[in-house]
Amino acid sequence: MSNLKNELAKKANTSVTDSNKEPQTIKDWIKVMEPAIKKALPSVITPERFTRMALTAISVNPKLAECTPKSFMGSLMNAAQLGLEPNTPLGQAYLIPYKNKGNMEVQFQIGYKGLIELAYRSGEFANIYAKEVFENDEFEYEFGLEPVLKHKPASGNRGEVIAYYAVFKLTNGGFGFEVMSKEDITNHAKTYSQAYSSSYSPWSKNFDEMAKKTVLKKVLKYAPIKVEFVKQIVQDSTIKTEINSDMTEVESQNVFEAEETDYQVIDQEESK
């Protein structure tokens, strides 16, 4: 696996005009890093499309342009290699400006719909989703040797959201579910998402989607999943400042407490 750190360091010291000045804009950085980007991009994404993704993300959230270029490029490459569109109405992934050790850097976050997409791509799941529970819904669940989950949405006024749940059914027939109250979700977000209180965080604009992602990640800890899928999941909420042919191998620069990632990993051959 080829690490492109040295090439990036060399390229970063050369401007697009062949002067000794460092690139001044994200677009300039993309131009300077183009050889490294081409090597690291998946075949389904061209450098031109990568550039459009970068410029679109900045137009949606101009604060990204104030972040360190390397963290922006690292997060964008992370999204590209996972095949998730960042900062679009699809809600697959987000690039979040965040102050890390006094510097504005970009944190990569997987959205609820992005997590669902990655789960189906793994080939292990026949069905997987999360739902909100409203106070006027009929809802009951029970754990134990014969777990039960029943949810019948109210036909009229459903009231306020009080909880969220996620369920999965594997292709081999196995299943599982998890339930979290809205209070549990909020406390979890405050503990593990340092960008929670930021006005740029998807928590401030898409609370329900982020809540469903949270309970979905929790239930996935009970599902036997492949190593590759686990590597993808743990890219959530990371800050990376390098570009590599495999971004899952690049160490995150996060300095805050990370969520536990104790997933049940299965051997690739076991699932065949």
Side-chain angles (χ1 to χ4, degrees), residues 91-102:
Q92 291 185 336
Y94 303 92
L95 305 183
I96 310 297
Y98 177 77
K99 183 165 286 190
N100 184 28
K101 293 183 177 180

Side-chain angles (χ1 to χ4, degrees), residues 22 192 199:
E22 188 175 78
Y192 293 109
S199 60

Side-chain angles (χ1 to χ4, degrees), residues 203-234:
W203 282 105
S204 65
K205 299 178 181 179
N206 300 289
F207 184 92
D208 285 339
E209 293 294 295
M210 294 299 290
K212 288 189 286 187
K213 185 191 84 170
T214 297
V215 71
L216 190 60
K217 286 182 70 175
K218 189 171 183 179
V219 77
L220 282 172
K221 293 181 180 181
Y222 306 115
I225 53 182
K226 297 177 182 178
V227 174
E228 187 61 31
F229 185 30
V230 173
K231 286 184 177 181
Q232 294 172 340
I233 296 174
V234 298

